[in-house]
Amino acid sequence: MSRQMLPVMLVLTILTIAAMVIAAYLLLFAGAAMAAISGAILLLAICVLATGLAMTMKLGKVEDWLYSHDETLRDLAGRSDRAAARLSELEHQVNLPTPGIDKLITDLSALRQEVKDAMLRKSEANAAAATARPEAPRAADEPMEPEHLDLLLEPVIELSSGSTSHYRALVSLANSRGEVVPSSELMDKADLGGMRPALDAHMVKLVAPVLRRLRLKNPGLRVFVPLGLATLGSRVEADSIIALLLRDSDVANGMVFELGQDDIGQLDPTGIENLARLGRLGATLALRDVYLGGLDLTALRQLGVRFLNFPPHAVDAGNGPSEVWREFVQYARAMQIQLIVGGIDTPQQAASASKCARFGHGSFFAPPRKVRRDAGVAAAGRRASVA
């Protein structure tokens, strides 16, 4: 009982006891004529006392309920403050240069220079054995060309119409002389050198403003962004990606994070936690390099997977789609999971893919296109001015 109610209950109890004493006195000394009045006073006193006790118990329960909710609100306020502080820290990390990118570029540049030196020494030896000629300048004496990462977008084609519906994001490493480390080789080197998480986080930063500009013209457009196994297992880079999704919520639902099917089964506890965090944010997922064996579409849909990307040979080995494939296509459509065939290089592969999948990509349609470095800056400026 609260302190405010104690005086009230004390006065009510005293008055009730006094009324009962008066009723008893009248009954004993005033005779039968006052019996009815005494009974009425006694009954009224008992009713008042019972009502007071009932109200006291009910108010006690309400106070306990309010106290528990007050504790809950205080706990939520503390969590909100901690979450706000964490988000502020993550946003600060997002605005910093992506850790590891400079080191990755430097390591790849050194590797490229070593290859140049070896090739030049071999060329000099062959030339000296054949005929005398002026010695070529050593590559080690040449000035190092500035290296930079380029974002490329590969069209994802709707097979029924031949139009571009979405894009896949890729990155390549290039210098001012036009020498390029292609995306596949760059990703392999980044995986081997432990730089894949930094590279993936940097790619998400590059994609966000470009996606914003593209969605001004086509709000339904999506960009598929590959994530490596090491990226999901890295808490720092995963935090950076999640913070960017929270900050750029206007384009977050336009990114589709592409994971390898085999990578899903190799996730460590940190990777599983980061995947769950992406799911809670409503992130859309895609699986690449998919094969039919062991696919649980119900579980994948609950995980947030909405796209499955198959290689051409998985769709048609040369004899047309099998009965199993046709049944799988119908089931995937019922589960609202879209099928993609990637790496299409020939008209035959394109024709086979169109019988099973909705989307396709590959050199048969169009090569990846390099995105200008200032692409998306105008859209970002407009967004900032509106904010």
Side-chain angles (χ1 to χ4, degrees), residues 21-329:
V21 171
I22 293 172
Y25 177 82
L26 291 175
L27 185 63
L28 293 174
F29 297 102
M34 299 297 293
I37 297 175
S38 300
I41 293 174
L42 183 61
L43 180 61
L44 181 62
I46 293 174
C47 289
V48 170
L49 183 60
T51 302
L53 291 174
M55 290 298 297
T56 301
M57 293 176 63
K58 189 173 183 62
L59 288 173
K61 291 181 179 179
V62 171
E63 288 176 352
D64 291 340
W65 180 78
L66 290 174
Y67 179 78
S68 66
H69 276 265
D70 187 53
E71 286 291 317
T72 302
L73 289 174
R74 280 198 293 267
D75 181 60
L76 289 175
R79 292 184 182 181
S80 177
D81 291 341
R82 291 192 295 271
R86 180 60 175 160
L87 180 58
S88 177
E89 178 185 350
L90 291 176
E91 288 180 346
H92 175 69
Q93 293 177 3
V94 167
N95 293 325
L96 292 175
T98 306
I101 287 295
D102 292 339
K103 183 179 185 301
L104 175 64
I105 293 175
T106 302
D107 291 345
L108 291 173
S109 299
L111 176 61
R112 172 182 289 161
Q113 194 62 39
E114 291 175 6
V115 173
K116 285 182 184 178
D117 289 342
M119 293 178 64
L120 184 57
R121 284 194 294 269
K122 181 178 179 181
S123 176
E124 290 175 352
N126 292 338
T131 181
R133 61 176 179 82
E135 184 179 357
R138 290 186 57 83
D141 298 330
E142 296 177 359
M144 291 292 291
E145 298 290 343
E147 306 278 352
H148 58 271
L149 287 169
D150 286 325
L151 174 67
L152 300 94
L153 294 180
E154 180 183 20
V156 177
I157 306 299
E158 179 137 16
L159 296 173
S160 60
S161 64
S163 60
T164 298
S165 295
H166 308 296
Y167 289 99
R168 293 181 72 243
L170 307 168
V171 287
S172 63
L173 183 68
N175 60 22
S176 60
R177 294 192 299 184
E179 298 169 329
V180 176
V181 178
S183 179
S184 58
E185 182 181 348
L186 180 62
M187 290 298 182
D188 290 342
K189 293 184 182 300
D191 279 324
L192 293 174
M195 292 293 141
R196 181 63 185 272
L199 188 60
D200 286 348
H202 187 69
M203 190 190 306
V204 173
K205 285 185 182 181
L206 294 177
V207 166
V210 176
L211 177 58
R212 180 175 294 112
R213 178 177 62 85
L214 292 172
R215 284 168 70 91
L216 290 176
K217 298 179 181 179
N218 182 3
L221 183 141
R222 296 171 181 260
V223 173
F224 292 77
V225 182
L227 291 184
L229 176 63
T231 305
L232 287 174
S234 171
R235 188 172 298 278
V236 174
E237 275 73 18
D239 283 350
S240 176
I241 291 172
I242 289 173
L244 188 141
L245 294 179
L246 291 172
R247 188 189 67 179
D248 294 338
S249 57
D250 59 319
V251 296
N253 63 350
M255 289 192 194
V256 181
F257 293 105
E258 194 178 75
L259 314 171
Q261 181 179 354
D262 291 336
D263 291 344
I264 294 291
Q266 300 179 41
L267 291 173
D268 60 12
T270 301
I272 295 173
E273 178 187 350
N274 287 330
L275 192 61
R277 292 167 69 194
L278 286 173
R280 287 194 293 271
L281 288 175
T284 303
L285 302 179
L287 288 189
R288 64 176 178 269
D289 303 323
V290 179
Y291 47 90
L292 284 183
L295 276 180
D296 185 345
L297 294 188
T298 302
L300 290 176
R301 180 168 174 79
Q302 292 176 349
L303 192 63
V305 174
R306 296 295 181 269
F307 298 89
L308 298 177
N309 193 327
F310 292 85
H313 62 80
V315 177
D316 184 1
N319 301 320
S322 64
E323 184 63 29
V324 174
W325 246 109
R326 284 191 284 269
E327 292 178 358
F328 174 79
V329 169

